[in-house]
Every structure is written in structure tokens, then in C-alpha cells.
Amino acid sequence: MNVEDATIQVLPTGTVNQIAAGEVVERPASVVKELVENAVDAGAGLVRVEVTSDRRQVTIVRVVDDGVGMGRADAVLAFKEHATSKIREIEDLDRLHTLGFRGEALASIASVAEVTIVTKPRDRGVLAGTRVQVRGGGEPEVSEVGAPDGTSVEVKDLFFNTPARRKFLKTLHTELAHIHGVVEKTALAHPEVAFRLLHNGRERIATYAADDLRETAGALFGTDLTRALVQVGGGNRFVRVGGFVARPSHTRADQYQIFLSVDGRPVYSTGLVRAIKEGYGTLLPANRFPVVFLALTTEEGLVDANVHPTKRQVRFTHEREVYEAVTGAVRAALHGEDLLAGEQEAERVTPAPHAPAPLPSRIPTSVPAPAVPRPGVGESLAHYAKSDRRLRQTQLPLAGAERNRLPEVTVLGQVDATYIVGSTGGRTLVLIDQHAAHERILYEQVLAKQAGGPKTQELIVPVLITFSPTEVELAREALPTLAEEGFVVEEFGPSTFAVNAIPVVLGKLEEPEVVRDLVSALVREAPSDPVGRREAITRRVACRGAIKGGDPLTHEQMQRLVEQLAHTENPYTCPHGRPTVILFSPDEMAAMFRRT
């Protein structure tokens, strides 16, 4: 066979590296992640991330560390694909102690950018350092240079030779937020290392080397949060679980403040999140998520970190036992704690952390759930008053709606403080999801009020929101968008924003936590197009303002809710498409009891 006639060709090395870069390097934050991981692997005590940008995009990323450094030969080999000092054979993947191991990151980055390394080995008596520069996967330029111990890597002109990838980068604030997120997660996974993040010379993140994860969390998220943290310690023969979880009084609308690491590697795992929520049990509302900082240390060979190019996903060989250990550790930590301590109680501080006692070879993971007291009379009255305030956000009748969307429903009672039970004419059984029903009512009311354009109403007391460093960048970008929709938000400090006014469509909103959740969610998730943004805001308003599952209602409140639902245009589904009303005819009930 004549090779020249073949249609299958072996790709050049440069092309291979550029394709591989698409898996490893998606954006500037990917560069920061790979370089920061290399710095941690090099034994750095301080990692300094310097980001330079113009008004539109990140132009330079520089990561400086005081780690072991490299000699001249290693500095040149570092740019070769699949050249690594961290593994020698395939079996080494089962006993990894480093964040990086494939040896492809630096070669991939250098194929789509200009990369300059300046490095000098520590404690080897070497007088001069080495400078290596590679652009677009070309031949390295090597020279001697004066340098401190450690390594500095500068990356500029990212994607200069792959403009299609540069085109898909987001706004500057979004890209900066991703960079902040990388530094946050790595700092929480390695509190023993100090981190600095600077943007155009201004310090944005500063953590200090500490033995206590609480100190790093406080540096990133503020002391108000750290006062609500409870120490976690436990595990079994497969895994040790350590870190902190927040009391149930500190919850979030989504999972964005659940920080997990496995063997020092920041990861995300739906299974671990589910195990954490099971540990909270009934202490956590079904539609809320806790604030969590957990570090898992596993037995050798238990974790496969080679699942995905980003190495953010891991696979456990004893998955069930790991999840049981996490659930048991969280449950045990919360058991017996003063769970009524709120964020206003500045004087009540969690006791100083202490080292957990040595674990036996196998510790029980089935820990009794803490008893949850039933609400007393005073608490019930407070719940009813809260429900009444939320029901007053909607008025009757809704403009343009007719009173024939639902059959006449007689309310009989409430089940599990979540479902309204009623009947139509004494024959058909009716079940109504109270949260979904009120969500539909609020959604249609907001749509009706939006017809006249966004209008604002000032809050008597501004609502203060403290953002993480990642969210601060997103908030700065979102301020004009929020203003267009009727939110008046301004910076109140280095990481604090004040909500001074909200859209009129929010109605008689009296709960600061609802405003805080709503603005935080919109900062993180608001679509860029006006139509999608308005729809997102409308749904968020409806969801946050509606009464919740678990809220007790009086008979009069239930009847009022059913009447309001009957006046909507589409009473049978919530804005997310879930059913609000389920009807059981006499024939269906007879079939359930096998009477037919």
C-alpha cells in the first residue's frame, strides 16, 4: 500500500497539543488552576496569583511560588507533552499524593499562548536561575537569569493562535470570577498554604497559612459566617472526614457554598452533597442547602482522580461506605449543638477547634438523629404570622382573570404542613401543593405588574449582602442589569453591597432573607438577554416570595390561597411546570381501595 494514497494521517505534534489544550485550557481560570496546582505540588508556602487585564479581557496571568524550583534540564522538559515528575508507571495512579500527574498542562498552555518560566532550585547551592520561553508550541528559548528560589510562570496572549476559542470567552468580570473561584477552592483545600490574588496590582484575596480551616474560611467569607460553623470529625476505615458545617440557621438557595476536597483536591460530587444533606436530616428545609467546608482523606487506592481532564470529578471504590461516613460525621457534629444560634449573636462563638481523637479501625456510622422539638404555641403563632405576611403579597382578584379556572373547593385541612386537602361537592378529593400554588399566583401577579416597565420601591432599612471574592466580581458586572430591572444596589464596603430598593412587582416584601437570596441568585445566574433575564427574575421572585412546604396555615389562610389560585390563568402548574393541583375522582379512589 502506498502511504501517500492514505486518507488517514498522523497529526503534527503542535496540532495534537492545540487539540489537547481544548480539554485542559478552557479559559484564563483553567491556566490559573493548572499553575496553582503545580505550585502546591512543589511544596510552596506562599502562592501569589497576579492577573492583568484591560477593559475587555485578561491579558496576563502570572503565578509565583516559593516551592522547590527546577534546574535547567527540568525547566526545559516541563514543556514536553506527558513529561512529569509525579508518576512513573500506571500503578502510581492508585497512590497519588499530588494534584497534577499527567504532564500535559504546561505543554497544552504553551501551544496556545506565550509562556515564560523563571525558576531556581531551592537548597541546591545554585547561583543562577533558568528562564525558558515558549510561544505557540515552538522551540524553547533558554537562558540563565538571576532569580529567587522557587518558580514564576507568566502566560500571555492566551488563544492568540486559536481565535475561535478566544471568541467564546465571557465578559471580563465573569472570567475574573472564575479565577477567584479557583483560588478560593484551592485555598480551602490547602489551608496550610498562603494565597494572594491580585488584579491589576490590587489585592483581591489574601489568606494566611494556618492549621485551622476555619481561619481560611473566615479570610474568604468573613467572621460572621465562621461564628456559625460547627466542627466535624469522624470517618471509618476507608475515609476520614474533617472540616466544618454551618448551623441550619445559615442556609443558601443553592449549592454554591458547599466546598469539598478529597485528598487535597477540590472536587464536586452530587453523591457527597446528598450525603451531607442526609446528615442534616429534618434540620434543613427541603429546598435549602447548607454552608459546608469538608475535607476527606482516603485510604490508598480508594479514589480514581483520572476520570475527567479537569480532575474535578472523582470516583470512589467504596462509594457507599464513604457516603455513610460523611452522613454520620455531619449528623454527629450537629447532635447536641445549640442550633438556635443565629448570625446576630455575635457574642456566642463556637468553641475553639480541637484535634479529633484517634479513630478505631472501624467506627460506627449510624448515629441517632438529633431530636427535633415540635413547635410550641408561640412558635406556631409566629409561623402563621409569617404565612399571613406572604399571602398579603398577592391580592384578589388578579387583573383580567375569571373565577372559573378551578372547581369550587372546600378546604378540609392540611397534611405535613405542605399539602392542602379539600373536596369538590363532597365527591372529588383535591390535593394542592401550597408552595407551588402560591408560586403560580405570585408569578402571574409579577407578569401583570411588569407590563408598565420596571419601577422601584425604596426599602425602609437597606438589606446588606456580604459576597465571597468570586461573587464580588459577578456583582460588579450585574449592577447595571439589576438597575434595569428595578433593583438599586451599591457597593457598601470591600465585599458588602447594600440593596436600597427593589422592584415594585415584589409587592409587600418584608423579609430581608428573601431579598438577600433573590439578589444573590440573580448575581450568579442572570442571563445576558433582557427577555431571559426578566423571566429569570420573575420566577425567582415567585419562588422566593411564596409560602414554603412546612409552613403551617390556618383554615382561613388555606381557603384564601385556594381562592387566589382559582383566579390565575393557569392554576394547574407552577412556573416551573410542576403540578399544583391533583384531583382524585370517586372511581380513582375506588380503584385504589380495590373496590372495583
Side-chain angles (χ1 to χ4, degrees):
M1 177 180 173
N2 189 346
V3 176
E4 294 181 358
D5 295 333
T7 57
I8 297 177
Q9 301 292 329
V10 177
L11 292 174
T13 300
T15 304
V16 171
N17 286 338
Q18 287 186 7
I19 293 172
E23 296 181 343
V24 178
V25 185
E26 299 176 296
R27 58 194 342 144
S30 306
V31 173
V32 173
K33 174 181 179 295
E34 298 296 338
L35 298 183
V36 166
E37 286 182 352
N38 284 342
V40 173
D41 287 342
L46 170 63
V47 178
R48 182 183 177 93
V49 180
E50 303 172 5
V51 178
T52 304
S53 73
D54 55 26
R55 293 185 177 182
R56 295 179 301 147
Q57 61 188 2
V58 173
T59 55
I60 300 175
V61 169
R62 182 184 297 108
V63 176
V64 183
D65 69 68
D66 58 358
V68 296
M70 292 181 287
R72 182 185 182 96
D74 285 340
V76 175
L77 278 174
F79 285 96
K80 297 292 185 181
E81 62 274 10
H82 308 300
T84 177
S85 62
K86 298 164 185 176
I87 64 172
R88 291 289 183 271
E89 53 192 17
I90 191 65
E91 287 76 17
D92 291 340
L93 290 177
D94 292 331
R95 43 183 180 268
L96 281 173
H97 300 287
T98 57
L99 298 179
F101 53 86
R102 296 195 189 104
E104 61 184 359
L106 203 55
S108 297
I109 295 170
S111 70
V112 293
E114 180 180 306
V115 181
T116 304
I117 287 183
V118 176
T119 184
K120 178 171 171 287
R122 188 172 61 195
D123 303 328
R124 292 194 199 170
V126 178
L127 297 179
T130 302
R131 180 180 186 272
V132 182
Q133 185 177 57
V134 175
R135 180 176 176 84
E139 288 298 312
E141 299 178 8
V142 188
S143 59
E144 285 191 350
V145 66
D149 292 351
T151 302
S152 167
V153 184
E154 179 182 280
V155 178
K156 64 181 180 179
D157 290 342
L158 184 62
F159 300 138
F160 78 95
N161 55 356
T162 53
R165 287 185 186 160
R166 177 177 285 181
K167 181 177 65 176
F168 285 101
L169 293 178
K170 303 300 182 183
T171 64
L172 173 62
H173 285 292
T174 299
E175 297 301 333
L176 289 174
H178 283 285
I179 292 172
H180 280 74
V182 167
V183 177
E184 279 179 12
K185 293 180 177 68
T186 311
L188 290 168
H190 290 275
E192 76 281 1
V193 179
F195 287 86
R196 300 286 187 277
L197 171 62
L198 294 88
H199 175 223
N200 288 343
R202 297 184 61 183
E203 190 170 79
R204 299 299 189 185
I205 291 179
T207 70
Y208 298 88
D211 296 328
D212 184 6
L213 177 57
R214 187 202 303 266
E215 292 185 28
T216 303
L220 293 171
F221 301 100
T223 55
D224 283 349
L225 177 61
T226 58
R227 293 191 186 102
L229 296 180
V230 177
Q231 188 172 24
V232 175
N236 55 32
R237 66 188 179 95
F238 296 107
V239 62
R240 291 181 62 89
V241 183
F244 297 89
V245 296
R247 291 181 173 87
S249 57
H250 284 64
T251 64
R252 301 293 183 261
D254 49 39
Q255 306 174 26
Y256 77 98
Q257 282 194 350
I258 296 180
F259 295 93
L260 305 172
S261 68
V262 176
D263 297 334
R265 185 185 306 281
V267 301
Y268 174 75
S269 166
T270 54
L272 290 176
V273 171
R274 187 163 53 248
I276 291 167
K277 293 195 72 175
E278 288 179 6
Y280 274 83
T282 57
L283 298 174
L284 196 68
N287 59 339
R288 304 289 293 182
F289 291 87
V291 177
V292 173
F293 307 94
L294 284 189
L296 278 63
T297 306
T298 66
E299 290 295 318
E300 190 173 283
L302 182 72
V303 177
D304 181 5
N306 196 28
V307 177
H308 190 272
T310 64
K311 294 173 288 196
R312 191 168 179 238
Q313 301 175 16
V314 294
R315 183 184 293 123
F316 300 103
T317 56
H318 292 275
E319 199 171 67
R320 183 175 62 84
E321 289 84 353
V322 171
Y323 296 161
E324 285 179 354
V326 171
T327 297
V330 172
R331 185 179 293 155
L334 294 171
H335 183 62
E337 281 290 327
D338 178 10
L339 302 181
L340 296 178
E343 58 185 315
Q344 263 70 49
E345 295 183 281
E347 298 299 322
R348 188 187 298 277
V349 181
T350 306
H354 56 276
L359 295 172
S361 60
R362 178 82 179 182
I363 66 170
T365 59
S366 179
V367 183
V372 181
R374 296 178 64 85
V377 175
E379 292 174 272
S380 295
L381 291 175
H383 278 95
Y384 291 140
K386 180 179 178 181
S387 298
D388 203 60
R389 286 198 303 271
R390 294 202 169 190
L391 285 171
R392 284 204 307 270
Q393 292 175 225
T394 48
Q395 300 93 26
L396 282 173
L398 291 175
E402 300 177 3
R403 182 63 175 88
N404 59 356
R405 302 295 182 180
L406 279 181
E408 193 73 33
V409 177
T410 301
V411 172
L412 302 177
Q414 188 184 32
V415 175
D416 197 29
T418 299
Y419 305 102
I420 298 171
V421 182
S423 70
T424 62
R427 289 184 53 80
T428 301
L429 179 67
V430 181
L431 288 180
I432 298 176
D433 183 324
Q434 63 190 39
H435 173 71
H438 200 213
E439 211 177 356
R440 164 56 62 181
I441 297 164
L442 281 169
Y443 177 79
E444 293 198 8
Q445 178 173 288
V446 170
L447 284 180
K449 289 187 176 181
Q450 279 179 342
K455 298 178 181 178
T456 62
Q457 56 180 343
E458 289 190 12
L459 296 175
I460 298 175
V461 178
V463 174
L464 299 182
I465 306 175
T466 300
F467 287 124
S468 70
T470 300
E471 294 172 305
V472 167
E473 289 300 328
L474 294 175
R476 290 189 177 117
E477 181 181 26
L479 289 183
T481 297
L482 291 171
E484 290 176 10
E485 301 301 333
F487 292 90
V488 178
V489 185
E490 59 184 20
E491 292 195 51
F492 195 71
S495 59
T496 303
F497 288 72
V499 183
N500 296 312
I502 59 177
V504 171
V505 297
L506 283 173
K508 305 179 180 71
L509 190 59
E510 303 174 23
E511 298 173 52
E513 191 61 34
V514 177
V515 177
R516 191 174 292 115
D517 273 358
L518 179 60
V519 174
S520 296
L522 291 174
V523 162
R524 295 190 306 277
E525 303 169 12
S528 57
D529 63 289
V531 176
R533 184 170 64 240
R534 182 151 297 180
E535 178 65 16
I537 289 175
T538 303
R539 292 186 180 186
R540 285 283 182 185
V541 167
C543 187
R544 295 294 185 271
I547 59 174
K548 302 293 186 277
D551 289 346
L553 301 177
T554 65
H555 188 276
E556 187 273 334
Q557 288 171 339
M558 287 185 277
Q559 192 67 53
R560 191 191 327 169
L561 181 62
V562 172
E563 291 174 0
Q564 290 179 351
L565 182 62
H567 282 77
T568 61
E569 291 293 331
N570 186 2
Y572 290 99
T573 63
C574 78
H576 307 288
R578 293 194 303 110
T580 57
V581 181
I582 297 178
L583 304 176
F584 296 91
S585 68
D587 290 342
E588 289 172 316
M589 287 188 285
M592 292 178 194
F593 287 99
R594 299 182 181 177
R595 296 176 62 90
T596 56

